[in-house]
Amino acid sequence: MRSAIIISAFAALAVAAPLDDVAVLPAASAVQVADASVTDVAQAKRKQKRGLQKRDGDCRPEPAGTGPRISSPDDTAEAFLAYQPFKTDAINAATNANVPQGYSLAFSNLEASSQTVSYLGLKTQGQYDPITCASYCDQHPGCVAFNLYYERNPSVNPNATNCPNPTSVTNIKCVRWGVQVTQSTATNDGQHRDDFHVVVSGSNGYNKNAPPTSQTGFNGPVKLGGAINAPNDPITNTNTYMGYKFFSFDQVQTFAGGVAACTAACTAQTAYNSRHPPKAPAKPSVCNQAVVYVLSQNNQPQGIYCSMYSEEWAPNYATNYGQYRGSDYWSVSSAYAYTNGTYAASYGPICAVGGCPNGSFRGGNCGGYGAGTC
């Protein structure tokens, strides 16, 4: 029953009709796992600076908090710092099972947030969830680290005369950085805004690991902000999505093993399609791009998702960060693309939106067979 639920969630993340069956078979190696997953369904169808400056406020309401407000035994910085659930959340998020795939823990459960160069933005979260924060980091091409923490903030903008020490709210903050964070960068232990004391608790820092290794026969990896959300080819209006494979961590053990399984599955699928061609004049689909990422359900990694395409898509289309399925949130992290080396020697990635990378084109190569051959 659970496997059916997971497969249903995978289907929702796909940009076209996915495989109806996903083989989950034990195997001795990533390549054997990839070979076992081949099916006849995978055939394409027709400078910024952070920090608050001292100023006197006007008592206007500040944004509502996203975490629990601490008012017992009193609404003070000391009570906030003593609140054990914040520390417990940080400790739990530092365990191997909860550190996001593709990241390493830099520090945990500090009472200070990181402050260093290359600040890349902040967002507040509704939950203390490192995978959601990692996804926010992944969406910026320069992000290599993030800091997740609870912060005590004023409910209104403090004013020395009219509201010097307002009631507090709690925000769960996710800050991304363009340089690695360490315990020595976690020096922001709060400040006073008039009589209100801003403090930090449960501060965890995470650094992005080196990208996965290159794979034989493929160019890459290319870091993506999320999964590819590809339309039809802009010129031929053909569907380039070939389907997906899913590899559990019981099968591939590690993210690196999943990458190897994904590219091997891409190669094996091309060979299978060649041995089982469609009726003429249609041509067998060639897997020319493999997109691999970790798929998580409610902060718990479920395995490696491997999407296959007959044409390469530019990173501009990597906009699928996850979605809710009922009350469950399925998120994407550690997304990378690999392109068939033979294809890449002749064609660049498809890009028909703004900000396209150098070497991209608008499509129309008919899955690598050449213009006019569709």
Side-chain angles (χ1 to χ4, degrees):
M1 177 64 181
R2 177 169 173 75
S3 62
I5 295 173
I6 294 176
I7 290 171
S8 175
F10 295 161
L13 287 173
V15 297
L19 302 178
D20 294 322
D21 57 330
V22 179
V24 180
L25 301 173
S29 70
V31 173
Q32 289 174 326
V33 170
D35 286 340
S37 74
V38 175
T39 73
D40 59 0
V41 184
Q43 173 80 14
K45 300 182 175 84
R46 283 203 124 351
K47 185 164 175 185
Q48 189 176 9
K49 187 174 181 181
R50 182 171 173 258
L52 295 170
Q53 296 180 345
K54 287 187 176 181
R55 64 193 186 282
D56 208 17
D58 53 12
C59 297
R60 290 184 181 180
E62 297 273 274
T66 58
R69 178 174 175 267
I70 308 306
S71 58
S72 177
D74 48 33
D75 189 354
T76 61
E78 292 74 20
F80 186 93
L81 294 174
Y83 188 63
Q84 186 59 40
F86 291 163
K87 305 177 189 302
T88 300
D89 285 349
I91 293 169
N92 289 339
T95 62
N96 289 337
N98 291 322
V99 173
Q101 287 287 323
Y103 288 82
S104 296
L105 184 71
F107 56 82
S108 177
N109 198 27
L110 301 184
E111 293 181 351
S113 61
S114 192
Q115 54 183 7
T116 182
V117 297
S118 195
Y119 168 71
L120 298 177
L122 173 153
K123 75 166 187 175
T124 57
Q125 298 187 174
Q127 293 181 322
Y128 191 95
D129 180 356
I131 287 185
T132 300
C133 196
S135 177
Y136 178 61
C137 179
D138 288 344
Q139 291 165 36
H140 193 292
C143 182
V144 300
F146 66 88
N147 185 194
L148 178 66
Y149 55 91
Y150 290 97
E151 186 172 274
R152 181 178 188 262
N153 297 131
S155 57
V156 300
N157 196 357
N159 177 275
T161 302
N162 299 316
C163 53
N165 189 21
T167 58
S168 71
V169 297
T170 300
N171 283 300
I172 304 169
K173 295 191 173 182
C174 170
V175 183
R176 57 190 181 189
W177 296 97
V179 296
Q180 290 200 332
V181 297
T182 65
Q183 186 163 338
S184 64
T185 67
T187 58
N188 181 13
D189 58 2
Q191 62 178 308
H192 279 89
R193 293 176 60 182
D194 290 319
D195 292 341
F196 185 90
H197 194 186
V198 177
V199 290
V200 170
S201 184
S203 178
N204 282 14
Y206 302 83
N207 290 319
K208 187 172 290 185
N209 297 336
T213 59
S214 59
Q215 301 293 312
T216 302
F218 289 84
N219 287 15
V222 174
K223 183 72 182 76
L224 303 177
I228 292 290
N229 190 14
N232 286 350
D233 181 296
I235 301 299
T236 64
N237 196 35
T238 52
N239 182 12
T240 67
Y241 175 69
M242 293 177 60
Y244 72 87
K245 308 297 179 188
F246 175 73
F247 305 104
S248 70
F249 284 110
D250 287 340
Q251 292 174 285
V252 296
Q253 305 303 317
T254 65
F255 179 65
V259 169
C262 181
T263 53
C266 180
T267 300
Q269 191 67 62
T270 295
Y272 180 94
N273 291 348
S274 180
R275 295 192 305 268
H276 303 82
K279 291 182 179 180
K283 298 177 177 62
S285 293
V286 177
C287 179
N288 286 315
Q289 185 181 50
V291 176
V292 56
Y293 55 89
V294 176
L295 185 67
S296 298
Q297 179 190 21
N298 298 330
N299 195 27
Q300 296 301 314
Q302 300 298 309
I304 304 299
Y305 194 106
C306 173
S307 297
M308 295 180 286
Y309 298 88
S310 61
E311 298 174 12
E312 179 189 7
W313 291 90
N316 307 56
Y317 293 90
T319 58
N320 186 352
Y321 312 127
Q323 61 181 252
Y324 277 97
R325 294 284 290 170
S327 61
D328 293 326
Y329 187 70
W330 294 83
S331 57
V332 172
S333 61
S334 300
Y336 291 89
Y338 289 84
T339 303
N340 180 302
T342 302
Y343 177 95
S346 300
Y347 305 103
I350 296 175
C351 189
V353 296
C356 294
N358 292 335
S360 59
F361 79 122
R362 292 185 63 82
N365 68 40
C366 297
Y369 285 101
T373 62
C374 297

